Amino acid sequence: MDDFLAARSQMALSLGFHIIYACIGMVMPFFMAVSHYKWLRTGNDVYKDLTKAWSKGVAIFFATGAVSGTVLSFELGLLWPEFMKHAGPIFGMPFSLEGTAFFIEAIALGFFLYGWQKLNRWFHWFTGLVVGMSGLASGILVVAANAWMNSPAGFDFVNGKYLNIDPMAAMFNRAWFSQALHMTLAAFASTGFAVAGVHALMLLRNRERVFHAKAFRIAAVFGCVAAMLQPLSGDISAKDVAQRQPAKLAAMEALYKTERRAPLIIGGIPDDKTERVNAKLEIPGLLSFMAHGDWNAEVKGLDQFPANDRPPVAITHYAFQVMVGIGTLLMAVSVLYFIALIRKKSWLERGWFLKLFVFAIPLGYIALEAGWVVTEVGRQPWIIYNVMRTSEAVTPMPGIAWSFYIFSAIYLSLSLIVIFLLYRQIKMVPVLYSSNPDLNKTT
Amino acid sequence: MESVVLIFLCVSILLYFLLGGADFGAGIVELLTSRKNLSKTRKTMYHAIGPVWEANHMWLIIAVVILFVGFPVIYSTMSVYLHIPLAIMLIGIIARGTAFVFRHYDAVKDSMQQTYNRIFVYSSFITPLFLGIIAGSVISRHIDTGATDFASAYIWGWLNGFSVSVGLFTVALCGFLAAIYLIGESDDHADRKRFIRKAKQMNLAAVASGCVVFIFAEQDEVPLRTWIFENPVGLSAVIAATLSLVALWYLLLRGKTTVLRILAGFQVTMILLAISYAHFPYFLRLKNGRDLSLYEHMAPEKTMQTLGIALLAGSVLILPFLGYLFYSFQRSTED
Ligand code: HDD
Ligand code: HEM
Ligand code: HEM
C-alpha cells in the first residue's frame, strides 16, 4: 500500500470510527433526558431504570468517542501537516469553540453519572440535557470545519499565499448550514433506529416487556421524526452541492456528459473508460429538477473538468446510491410507525413490525458512513476545494501503511469489545434491575 | 490578545501535566501496589478520578487546538518529526481511557477484568513516558529537519538519552502527584498510610530520575544547567521547589491533605517553570539551531484575536462549573 493511500485510509478509518461514537454520544443523552423526565414526573421506576441502563451505555460510548476524537485532533497534523500549516489559522475557529463545548459536555457528564444521590433532582436532570446540547453543538461546529474544506471562505488565495484571513467568515461558509442540518438529522435517525431496533429485538424475545416497550418508543419517535425530515434536508444539500461543487454532483450521479433535462440514474455501474453507466434505471429530467429546480436546466457533467480534477466516480456514485436508498427505506418505515402510533396500535406488538426495526439496526449508520464517503471522496482530488490538493498535504514520513495497519487493528478490537460490553449490559438488565417487580410484567 | 493565547497555552499544558498527570499516576500507583491491597486501591482510585478524568484530559485537546490554530508551523513540524512518539502516546491514550471505563461498566465482573486492569496500568505508564519523551525532544535540539535518512529524521530526534530520561522523570512525577492526591481521597488509616509511603517512594524516584536527566543533558549538550542555574527565574523556581519539598516531607507525616496537594502542585509547577522559562519563547528547538519561536510563528493577527476571545468566553463558561465539579466530588462515595 503506498503511503498516500495509507494516509487517506487511516483518516477515513479514524473518522468513520469516531463518527459513530460521536453520534451516539450526542443523541443518547436526549433519549435519557426524556426517560429521566418521565421518571421525575410520573415516579414510575421503570423510567429510572431505563435512564440508568442507558447512561451506562453512554458512558462506554462517550469514553470511546472522547479518545478517538483526541486521536483525530493529532492525526490532522500527523497525516496532513501541510494542510494544517495553512488551514489551521483559517478553519480553526470552530475547533476552538468546540473545545468549550467538549469541556462543558465532559463536566456535565461527570455531574450526571455520579450525581444521582448528590444533586437536586431537577438540576441533575438538567446536567443530562446539557450533555446532549453541548454534544450537539460540537457536532455542528466540527461539521462547519469540514464544510469549509468543501467551500473555502474567509481568506484570499494569492500566489500560493493565504492572505486576509477572517476566521468567522471561514466558519460561516456557504456549506456549513446544509451540512450541519443534514448531519444532525443523520445522527438522530441512525441512533434512533439502532436503539429502537435493539429494544425491538428484546421485545421479540419477550424479555422485560414494559422496560423495552418504553425504551423502544422513546428511541423510535426520535429516529422516525428525523428520518422523515432527512430526505428534505438531503434535497437542500444536493442543490447546494450542485452550486458549489458541480464535479462532486456529477460524480454522485455518474453524469459523464453535460446535459439539459438530465436524468436521475438509479443503480448502474459507471465505467470510466467508456464514460458510460451500464445496467441503470433512468428517470428523465429528474436530476435537472433536483439540482436546479427546473426539469430542463443544464447539469454540468464530468466532461467539464480536466481528468486530474475529477473525483473517483464509482465510489462516490455507489455511496450516494446506498445513502439515498437507505434514506428512502427508513422514511417508509417511519411512515408505518406513525400509522401504527395513530391508527393501528396493534401493529406495535406484531412480529413483522418489530422485525422491520431489528433489520434497520445497522442501516442508519451505513447511510451515515456512505454519506461521508460521498462528501469526502466527492471532494477529491482536493483537500481544500480548488485550493490545495490532497497529495500536496500528506506527511513526508514514509511507512504510513504500518501506522494504518496498527490503527485498524486497534479500532477493530475496540469495536468488538464495545459490542461485547453492550451485549453484556443488555443481557444483565433483568439481574441488575430485578429489584423492580414492574419490569417483568407483560403489557 | 497574543498574550492571552500564550497564557492559555501555557496554563493548559501545565494543567494537563498536573491533572492529567495525577490521573496517569493513579495507574502507575496501581501498577506498583502489591496484590493484596489492589482492590482497595482500585476502589479509592475509581472514586477519586471517575468523575473528573474526562475533564482532566480536555486540557490536552485545548493545548493541541491552540497550537494548530495559533501556531500552525510549530504544530505541523512537531507532527512530522515526532510522528512516532505521538502515535504511541495516542495509542496509550486510547488504551487507557477505554480500559478504565470498560472495567467499571462491564456488567459482568469476570476474568475480563484482569485484561482491562493490565491494559490500564501499562498504558498509564507508557502514555506519560512518551509525553515526557516528546517534551524532552521538543527542547533538546535533537530534531533534525534537514535529515535525509529515515532514522535521523524520524527516530533519533526522540529516541535519545535525554528525551527518554525526561520521559522517566515525567512518569515519576505523575506517580508522585497521584499518590499525594489519593491520600486525601482514602477514608481509612491503613490506606492513607500506604499512599503516604507511595508518595515518598515516588518522590525519591523523581529526584533520582531528575539527576539522570541532568547527566544526560550534559552528555547530549542540552544547556539545562545554564537554563536553571544561571537564570534568576530558573534558579528561584528550583529553590522554591526544593523548599516546598522539605515542607512536603514534614507535612506528609502529619497528613494535611489540602496543603499537601497545593505543595505538590506547586512543586511540579516550579520544576516546569525552571525548565522552560529560560528558553521561552523558543518552543521547538531544532538541530540546525533554527529554533521556532512562539512569537515568530504566530498565526495572523485576526486569528489570534478571535482565538483569544473564544478562549476567554469559553473559560467564563467553564471554570465555575469545573470548580463546582471538583468541589462536589471531593471524597464522593457513590456509584
Ligand atoms: C442516516 C444517514 C443519512 C441518510 C438517511 C441520508 N443521508 Fe445524506 N448524508 C449523510 C447521512 C444521510 C451524512 C453522513 O451525514 C452526510 C455527509 C456530509 C453531510 O453533511 O452529511 C450526507 C451527505 C449528503 C450529501 C452531500 C452533501 C455535501 O457534500 O455537502 C447529499 C447531496 C445528500 N447527503 C443527500 C441525501 C439525500 C437526497 C437523502 C435522501 C434520502 C439522504 N442524503 C439521506
Ligand atoms: C465524521 C465523518 C467523516 C467521515 C466518515 C469522513 C470520511 C473521510 C473519507 C472517506 C476520507 C478519505 C477520502 C479518500 O480517500 O478519497 C476522508 C478524508 C479526509 N477528511 Fe473526512 N470524513 C468525515 C468528516 C471530516 C471532518 C469533520 C473533517 C475535518 C474537519 C475531515 C477532514 C478530512 C481530511 C483532512 C481528509 C484527508 C484528505 C482526503 O483524503 O480527503 N473529515 N474523510
Ligand atoms: C463530522 C464529524 C464529527 C462529528 C459529528 C463529531 C462530533 C463529536 C461529538 C458529539 C463528540 C462528543 C463525544 C461523545 O459525546 O461521545 C466528539 C468528541 C470529540 N471529537 Fe469529534 N466529531 C467529528 C469529527 C471530529 C474531528 C475531525 C475531530 C478532530 C480534529 C474531532 C475531535 C474530537 C475530540 C477531540 C473529541 C473529544 C472530546 C471529549 O473528550 O469529549 N471530531 N466529536
Side-chain angles (χ1 to χ4, degrees), chain A residues 18-19 22 25 62 66 69-70 72 76 95 102 105 135 142 372, chain B residues 58 61:
Chain A
H18 176 68
I19 188 79
F62 189 86
T70 309
L72 275 173
L76 283 176
F95 287 110
F102 285 151
E105 189 177 1
V142 78
W372 278 105
Chain B
M58 288 308 302
I61 299 173

Side-chain angles (χ1 to χ4, degrees), chain B:
Chain B
M1 229 11 123
E2 288 162 8
S3 354
V4 171
V5 175
L6 280 172
I7 290 170
F8 268 96
L9 179 64
C10 297
V11 168
S12 46
I13 292 176
L14 174 67
L15 285 176
Y16 186 59
F17 250 88
L18 293 180
L19 300 170
D23 206 278
F24 288 127
I28 298 167
V29 169
E30 185 178 328
L31 180 66
L32 300 175
T33 300
S34 62
R35 180 161 300 157
K36 73 176 199 301
N37 297 322
L38 258 181
S39 68
K40 183 81 181 118
T41 297
R42 248 178 230 141
K43 219 165 156 188
T44 311
M45 202 190 80
Y46 183 75
H47 287 311
I49 66 179
V52 290
W53 79 270
E54 285 264 1
N56 287 348
H57 287 273
M58 288 308 302
W59 295 108
L60 176 65
I61 299 173
I62 304 279
V64 171
V65 169
I66 295 179
L67 264 187
F68 78 58
V69 178
F71 311 93
V73 175
I74 293 177
Y75 170 82
S76 57
T77 314
M78 281 176 69
S79 303
V80 172
Y81 295 96
L82 296 174
H83 189 121
I84 296 171
L86 281 168
I88 297 174
M89 181 190 86
L90 289 178
I91 292 172
I93 289 178
I94 301 180
R96 186 178 184 279
T98 48
F100 181 72
V101 172
F102 290 173
R103 83 167 169 189
H104 183 69
Y105 283 103
D106 194 337
V108 185
K109 304 277 185 254
D110 60 4
S111 62
M112 277 300 280
Q113 288 289 325
Q114 251 139 51
T115 316
Y116 303 138
N117 288 336
R118 212 162 293 145
I119 297 177
F120 176 73
V121 294
Y122 288 117
S123 51
S124 292
F125 176 77
I126 299 283
T127 317
L129 175 67
F130 276 82
L131 201 67
I133 289 181
I134 292 162
S137 320
V138 164
I139 59 170
S140 70
R141 279 209 177 140
H142 276 94
I143 294 175
D144 184 359
T145 53
T148 45
D149 63 304
F150 185 85
S152 335
Y154 302 109
I155 295 184
W156 306 133
W158 56 272
L159 192 60
N160 53 61
F162 179 73
S163 301
V164 174
S165 63
V166 174
L168 290 171
F169 180 55
T170 311
V171 171
L173 284 185
C174 291
F176 167 65
L177 285 170
I180 296 281
Y181 183 66
L182 289 172
I183 296 173
E185 295 291 319
S186 52
D187 37 22
D188 74 48
H189 193 66
D191 217 25
R192 288 168 71 102
K193 258 197 152 144
R194 257 185 310 108
F195 289 126
I196 291 177
R197 210 171 54 237
K198 280 276 161 335
K200 288 181 184 165
Q201 289 165 352
M202 285 295 174
N203 200 314
L204 290 177
V207 172
S209 56
C211 294
V212 178
V213 171
F214 266 100
I215 296 171
F216 275 106
E218 292 302 318
Q219 191 200 321
D220 290 0
E221 294 171 17
V222 181
L224 196 58
R225 202 162 30 97
T226 335
W227 289 344
I228 294 181
F229 296 110
E230 291 171 22
N231 179 298
V233 176
L235 191 60
S236 347
V238 166
I239 293 172
T242 316
L243 288 181
S244 64
L245 186 68
V246 176
L248 203 120
W249 275 78
Y250 178 74
L251 285 171
L252 259 185
L253 304 171
R254 308 205 159 35
K256 282 254 177 272
T257 51
T258 324
V259 187
L260 276 179
R261 283 181 189 178
I262 293 171
L263 275 179
F266 176 74
Q267 200 179 6
V268 175
T269 311
M270 284 303 127
I271 292 171
L272 286 180
L273 180 67
I275 296 176
S276 49
Y277 182 80
H279 59 92
F280 184 87
Y282 292 96
F283 188 86
L284 181 57
R285 302 175 74 246
L286 302 174
K287 188 156 195 165
N288 55 14
R290 204 176 52 84
D291 300 344
L292 301 186
S293 147
L294 287 168
Y295 283 111
E296 281 162 37
H297 294 278
M298 245 175 211
E301 202 185 319
K302 190 112 185 228
T303 303
M304 298 307 275
Q305 200 92 31
T306 30
L307 179 59
I309 294 172
L311 289 169
L312 285 175
S315 39
V316 170
L317 277 173
I318 289 168
L319 291 180
F321 284 115
L322 192 62
Y324 188 53
L325 182 72
F326 275 95
Y327 169 78
S328 301
F329 292 105
Q330 290 259 322
R331 298 186 186 229
S332 78
T333 36
E334 200 225 338
D335 175 12

Side-chain angles (χ1 to χ4, degrees), chain A residues 179 182 186 230 234 238 241 244 248 252 323 327 364 367-368 371-372 375:
Chain A
Q179 276 197 240
H182 199 58
Q230 191 73 349
V241 172
R244 69 180 141 82
K248 183 191 273 182
M252 275 154 52
M323 169 174 63
L368 185 91
W372 278 105
T375 304

